[in-house]
Amino acid sequence: MLKILALQQSIIASFPKFETLEKLLVQQSIINILLLGTGLILFLVMFYVKIVSFSEKEYRASGIAFIFSTVFFAPFLFLYLYDFPYKDIISVSLLAIVYLSIILLFIPIRPKIKGGFQVPKEKHDERNVMFSRNELKPGTKQFDLYYSNNADKKYLDDKFREKPGLLSPDSSMYHPFSFASAHANLEVIEALKPIVNGPVAEQEINVEASKISNYLKTWSKKLGVYSVGITELKDYHLYSHKGRGDLYGEEISNKQKYAIAITIEMDNEMMQTAPKGSVVMESTQQYLSSGTIALQLAYFIRNLGYSARAHIDGNYELICPLVARDAGLGEIGRMGLLMTPKLGPRVRIAVITTDIPLVIDKRKDFSSVIDFCGICKKCADVCPSSSISFNNREEITGVLRWKINSEACFTYWCTSGTDCGRCMAVCPYAHPNNYMHNFIRWGINNSYIFRRFALYMDDLFYGRKPKSRNFPSWIDM
Ligand code: SF4
Ligand code: SF4
């Protein structure tokens, strides 16, 4: 009897231990689930990156993602499968590191960037643009007048004149098919230049600003544009004087009220070959496509009884990237080009100025681009002519911006025969427009810390100085 009582008491006494054991078991299984779940998620994310990178022909990125997928999964699987002293402490520490890092990367930290929405205080003269200077023929009145007024530019321009020239058979990147295709594109553009403006229909059709704005935007998208925005046409958008064509030297006066900016994507595969011939083939193609759509829209508006002028390659009155930026399509980055949110600089722009009533889009805050360009400098690193600055932005005509050495850049173009595009091809913003890269772009926009992490990962996955790819096989026959 005494023995039975003693046994009863020992069973009762052991109940709290059961409770503790139960708690321990629950804790253990939660940690195990978290370990397995976290390891699997990291594995799947990296495997997804591997597949997407492979489909983009980014084989280095694909290989690294594959290594990461196994390396990330291994410690979690090990902790899940094996028991050893301090396992719980190690597991909880590892989980804490992972989840705290994720929180740190994604909390929105956006310090204010110096500069804000500045606008240039002076107009640019199109005669100073490299294309205009390239068109000056030695021995002509225009040539002599330009260099007597700009003696400092003569020495610089003599350097590009010594080179074979754009699309020349003697240039270093000469490739018969791609150069001939680019020539064909330019010849069609040449034929379009005189029709940027035209007569306006006598009868003005009444339009509602919001409806016609929506119509123009939707139609543009159907025609193939990547983005479209509307802004008020400002004086600083316009060049002071024409620098190309028959109206060379004429003062520009455009009193139209609105400007519609459209951007067209340049194909990533073609751009990745930069500075080979497929780049100039692609850039001229998209000058042509954006120009054709701008002409269509201008004709359409004039048919409704309102003035409209298309601004296309070789026949501009204004600076397209400035208009596009003010129309909310992006920000001007280190290489001096428009950086769009999902394609970066990998676009061509055309503009239509008009008097038809429109609803304007606001300039957007893309200061994350300025901050990212401040640390990235990848374009400056790869530029074969060292034309892109490694320094901070400087104040030029009242605006904080990066100034590129356009003479050195153009001299390289005249050597290679193409419009190079190395800077565009390597820009981390220029990766394809898909879920994976858009998620990274969202993170870059969202957080100061994520930007630094994204740049480190971009260098690791794609290389600090990515190699130029070969021509697509159908071009390199
Ligand atoms: S490569 Fe880097 S620094 Fe250059 S424009 Fe792109 S993001 Fe900016
Ligand atoms: S186009 Fe080529 S040469 Fe010109 S700035 Fe870009 S990388 Fe440099």
Side-chain angles (χ1 to χ4, degrees), residues 302-477:
R302 291 198 298 268
N303 287 344
L304 293 179
Y306 301 87
S307 72
R309 188 218 197 261
H311 300 261
I312 68 170
D313 178 42
N315 194 351
Y316 300 110
E317 284 183 341
L318 42 73
I319 303 165
C320 291
L322 280 186
V323 176
R325 180 200 64 183
D326 290 357
L329 302 186
E331 183 50 91
I332 313 290
R334 182 177 287 274
M335 59 178 99
L337 300 178
L338 180 80
M339 305 281 284
T340 59
K342 290 184 181 168
L343 298 174
R346 203 163 43 78
V347 292
R348 282 287 174 243
I349 313 168
V351 169
I352 305 101
T353 49
T354 178
D355 266 332
I356 197 167
L358 293 170
V359 178
I360 60 164
D361 297 295
K362 288 210 175 97
R363 181 173 168 182
K364 295 199 182 94
D365 179 9
F366 289 114
S367 53
S368 55
V369 171
I370 302 293
D371 185 38
F372 191 76
C373 279
I375 53 166
C376 170
K377 305 178 185 176
K378 211 163 179 167
C379 49
D381 256 333
V382 300
C383 175
S385 61
S386 308
S387 304
I388 301 175
S389 166
F390 283 96
N391 299 332
N392 292 334
R393 291 179 299 162
E394 49 186 297
E395 195 170 317
I396 303 163
T397 61
V399 179
L400 268 181
R401 67 180 174 94
W402 287 282
K403 181 166 169 42
I404 85 151
N405 183 339
S406 43
E407 286 87 3
C409 171
F410 196 74
T411 304
Y412 181 76
W413 290 15
C414 292
T415 311
S416 64
T418 71
D419 50 359
C420 177
R422 281 300 294 143
C423 45
M424 251 188 230
V426 304
C427 178
Y429 275 99
H431 290 302
N433 179 7
N434 58 30
Y435 287 124
M436 182 180 91
H437 294 299
N438 286 341
F439 177 72
I440 295 163
R441 290 184 192 105
W442 171 82
I444 288 174
N445 187 37
N446 183 54
S447 157
Y448 174 90
I449 297 173
F450 191 98
R451 269 166 231 158
R452 272 102 194 126
F453 174 73
L455 177 60
Y456 176 75
M457 295 306 275
D458 198 90
D459 286 349
L460 181 69
F461 276 64
Y462 302 97
R464 181 69 196 161
K465 294 183 179 183
K467 282 197 188 123
S468 167
R469 283 195 208 163
N470 293 331
F471 280 119
S473 54
W474 64 274
I475 295 179
D476 204 15
M477 289 191 284

Side-chain angles (χ1 to χ4, degrees), residues 66 106 128 144 162 251 329 340 414 453 472:
F66 179 69
F106 290 99
N128 292 329
D144 294 340
E162 283 166 11
E251 206 171 320
L329 302 186
T340 59
C414 292
F453 174 73

Side-chain angles (χ1 to χ4, degrees), residues 93 103 118 210-211 273 291 342 408 448 460:
S93 307
I103 292 169
Q118 298 172 313
S210 61
K211 281 197 177 156
T273 67
K342 290 184 181 168
Y448 174 90
L460 181 69

